[in-house]
Amino acid sequence: MSIRPASRGLAEALGSSSARRVRPVPQRSSLPVAGPSIPRRHASKDAKPNNVVTKERFNFNTSLNFTDELDPDHVNYRRVSASEIANRREPPTRVKMLVRDFIDDSLYNEHYGYFSRNATIFTPPSEGYDFGSFRDAAHFQETVAERYEAEYGNMELESAEEGAEGKAKVQAKGGLGRQVWHTPTELFKPYYARTLIKPILQTYKLNHFPYQDLIIYEVGAGNGSFMIDSLKYIRDEHPDVFARTKYRIIEISPALAKIQRARAEAEGFGERVEVINEDVMRWRGGGVEPCFVVALEVFDNFAHDMIRYDIRTLEPLQGIVSIDRSGDFSLLYEPLTDPLLRRVLAYRRLLPPSPLTAPTLPSPLLRSPLLRSLYTSMPFAPNLSAPDWIPTKATHFLERLRDRLPNHRLMVADFDSLPEAVEGRSGPVVQTRYGGSMVPCETFLVKQGYFDIFFPTDFELLRDTYSLIMNSPSIPSPNSPSASTSPLPTRKISPSRQSAPATTRDAQPHPLTAALSSTPPQLSSDFFSPHPGTGVRGFRRRQVSIHTHAEFMMKYGPEEVGMTRTGDGEGVMLGMYKNAKMMF
């Protein structure tokens, strides 16, 4: 969560990572025949079956290969989560896990995960670029590409291999190499950070100064550039605020946490900065003081779950990745049982109906059960919808903010669309760097640790879900991840602000209780209003707003935009990252 991928368009513009589309081996499949108690299957990747299985064990697959066989012993595979295999030094076999756990393990395992092996953040000159010295945007991009090639072009990748040879080194130009990310914080330093810190300072001065400290939490701070540039600006332009500033970083990567501490000390900010080397999903700190939470290019690497809907019944089915003894993958489908996934879908049912929350089917099929029945009876017709990628980890992160930092204000910057994504609604981009080029893939079932997997963020859905969560109390259930890691006290509140006797009010169920049932609930007219005494501020108080990247830059940093104009007057900070948005 601390490494931030740049947009695909930027990668192409920088020349050194030109796009080259490579199609993987066609996915395997079988005819759509399955009983109700048999997992749905969507296989992907060449496999060498060791046993013969009847075709009835298989379900529909979108590829054109009908020869794959699933290991019949998959029902006995151990069910694991990413946290349970976090200490493994090599990818597991003969296991099953949720899609989000597979993605988490592929990205963040400290021994073979992608970010621990193959990713580096691009760093410009320490003083930043003199944008006025460039003829135009193309000249700037060429300069960045030259630095990229000079600094990282021959970077070597160390890969642990068993045997007498020990460790083998593979030159990046000849094989898989480290991928270097370009982030706006680095490319446009210090102007990007200054633009983002300005609305935080405005809000702080308007509501909290001089009686309360300015407390900033940054999740996944990368090289620490946003922290350094922001604190320099506060120190130089607002010394009275700087005296009351506390900057806290929550960083999952030990290597990056070490870099952040060193940079803070070197710049003289050691007393102002605290680096917390923990996974934000397991962090047990927090407090009730007003604070600001900054998440820049963090949501795109939050793992998602994948569900598909039974076309005939519209029942959602959760995706399960099965890994056989050879390390090959199969995708199974089973009824929804995961508590977090069920809770995320329950939040959706509490939101107003929209195409963002409906099953991934054409509207005629959604409206007519008869038409769905006829459609699924056609030869070779699919019995499952297109994939729907559910931001379960992102939603859990919002729940954690509600529980750990109930009086926070959130700033998010990320990509709202990505080209060359995997099939499905809000599908991820899966890519790696090979032979000096970026290679996109058409499936997420790829070798763990060799590919980056990142998602677009639906900001409108994020805003609505965030508002709903901030208005909901915690669920004190032992099966709830947020409840199990949240000792902060919570109060049971009624969805309505109407006065009532305490016994009646306490007897009302949590808003999610009805949503977890099969019948969509009805909300009271004032459900989105703040509830007094809960310690949680709601949608109306937070004034959640969404801007495109360019809109945000012009609204809060017109001076900084002027400083990033090239010789021909073009503003490169406005022209790049057109597929990014901001929420504050």
Side-chain angles (χ1 to χ4, degrees), residues 434-479:
Y434 185 85
S437 297
M438 293 303 304
V439 182
C441 301
E442 296 177 338
T443 176
F444 73 99
L445 295 177
V446 289
K447 179 68 175 177
Q448 301 97 315
Y450 288 91
F451 297 80
D452 186 27
I453 304 173
F454 55 103
F455 295 82
T457 298
D458 189 320
F459 275 81
E460 285 69 26
L461 183 59
L462 174 65
R463 174 195 59 200
D464 294 345
T465 305
Y466 175 67
S467 301
L468 182 63
I469 289 174
M470 293 306 118
N471 281 279
S472 302
S474 300
I475 306 175
S477 166
N479 295 324

Side-chain angles (χ1 to χ4, degrees), residues 452-520:
D452 186 27
I453 304 173
F454 55 103
F455 295 82
T457 298
D458 189 320
F459 275 81
E460 285 69 26
L461 183 59
L462 174 65
R463 174 195 59 200
D464 294 345
T465 305
Y466 175 67
S467 301
L468 182 63
I469 289 174
M470 293 306 118
N471 281 279
S472 302
S474 300
I475 306 175
S477 166
N479 295 324
S480 168
S482 58
S484 62
T485 57
S486 176
L488 292 181
T490 59
R491 297 189 183 183
K492 190 171 185 178
I493 63 174
S494 164
S496 173
R497 288 191 300 172
Q498 301 295 328
S499 60
T503 54
T504 303
R505 211 168 42 240
D506 292 344
Q508 294 191 9
H510 187 280
L512 286 184
T513 303
L516 287 169
S517 66
S518 58
T519 304

Side-chain angles (χ1 to χ4, degrees), residues 194-362:
R194 291 181 183 178
T195 303
L196 269 60
I197 205 65
K198 281 185 176 182
I200 292 178
L201 287 171
Q202 292 172 8
T203 304
Y204 168 73
K205 284 195 167 186
L206 181 64
N207 295 283
H208 308 295
F209 181 78
Y211 306 106
Q212 295 167 308
D213 292 336
L214 171 59
I215 302 176
I216 300 175
Y217 287 88
E218 185 180 0
V219 180
N223 286 339
S225 294
F226 181 82
M227 174 261 295
I228 296 296
D229 294 340
S230 297
L231 289 178
K232 282 183 176 180
Y233 178 79
I234 299 173
R235 180 194 62 193
D236 298 341
E237 302 296 331
H238 304 272
D240 51 346
V241 174
F242 182 75
R244 304 207 59 163
T245 298
K246 298 178 181 178
Y247 202 103
R248 297 165 183 168
I249 294 174
I250 305 177
E251 176 59 61
I252 190 174
S253 166
L256 290 176
K258 183 178 180 180
I259 293 174
Q260 293 155 11
R261 290 191 187 99
R263 292 195 66 186
E265 291 288 346
E267 296 290 346
F269 298 137
E271 295 182 356
R272 302 285 171 193
V273 176
E274 177 186 2
V275 180
I276 305 165
N277 186 199
E278 293 185 39
D279 182 351
V280 68
M281 300 299 183
R282 298 184 177 89
W283 177 54
R284 300 187 67 84
V288 297
E289 306 91 346
C291 62
F292 296 85
V293 177
V294 179
L296 307 180
E297 290 87 50
V298 169
F299 275 67
D300 57 354
N301 280 131
F302 278 143
H304 286 44
D305 274 292
M306 193 260 278
I307 66 173
R308 296 174 75 176
Y309 297 87
D310 186 300
I311 294 180
R312 187 182 295 268
T313 65
L314 299 184
E315 175 193 4
L317 303 169
Q318 63 188 25
I320 302 293
V321 177
S322 173
I323 307 177
D324 66 16
R325 60 173 61 88
S326 301
D328 289 339
F329 312 113
S330 294
L331 192 54
L332 314 175
Y333 294 94
E334 65 182 20
L336 213 62
T337 58
D338 178 64
L340 176 57
L341 183 52
R342 293 184 68 220
R343 196 161 68 249
V344 174
L345 295 182
Y347 286 131
R348 290 193 174 191
R349 288 196 290 272
L350 287 170
L351 297 175
S354 75
L356 302 177
T357 59
T360 48
L361 288 169

Side-chain angles (χ1 to χ4, degrees), residues 60-184:
F60 177 75
N61 187 298
T62 56
S63 64
L64 300 177
N65 191 305
F66 296 91
T67 61
D68 191 25
E69 302 289 348
L70 179 64
D71 182 357
D73 195 37
H74 77 277
V75 295
N76 297 319
Y77 288 176
R78 184 166 64 99
R79 186 72 166 261
V80 298
S81 66
S83 60
E84 291 173 333
I85 56 176
N87 295 325
R88 287 187 61 93
R89 294 187 172 274
E90 57 185 30
T93 58
R94 292 181 57 80
V95 296
K96 294 184 292 187
M97 65 187 80
L98 288 165
V99 168
R100 73 167 182 266
D101 289 312
F102 175 79
I103 295 175
D104 249 349
D105 182 61
S106 298
L107 295 178
Y108 300 115
N109 184 285
E110 62 177 289
H111 300 293
Y112 55 80
Y114 182 79
F115 289 142
S116 62
R117 299 180 53 192
N118 297 332
T120 302
I121 301 176
F122 174 84
T123 302
S126 58
E127 67 279 3
Y129 288 107
D130 178 9
F131 292 91
S133 65
F134 299 109
R135 297 186 308 272
D136 49 29
H139 185 200
F140 167 68
Q141 293 170 358
E142 290 171 1
T143 303
V144 173
E146 291 172 359
R147 179 176 177 84
Y148 180 103
E149 193 65 30
E151 295 289 333
Y152 310 101
N154 294 316
M155 185 177 292
E156 291 180 331
L157 165 67
E158 287 190 356
S159 59
E161 295 182 354
E162 294 182 1
E165 297 297 328
K167 289 186 175 180
K169 292 185 177 180
V170 182
Q171 288 291 340
K173 288 186 176 180
L176 290 172
R178 285 186 177 269
Q179 187 159 332
V180 184
W181 300 123
H182 315 79
T183 71

Side-chain angles (χ1 to χ4, degrees), residues 494-498 508 521-529 531:
S494 164
S496 173
R497 288 191 300 172
Q498 301 295 328
Q508 294 191 9
Q522 297 296 322
L523 293 181
S524 62
S525 59
D526 59 354
F527 180 80
F528 286 95
S529 303
H531 294 273

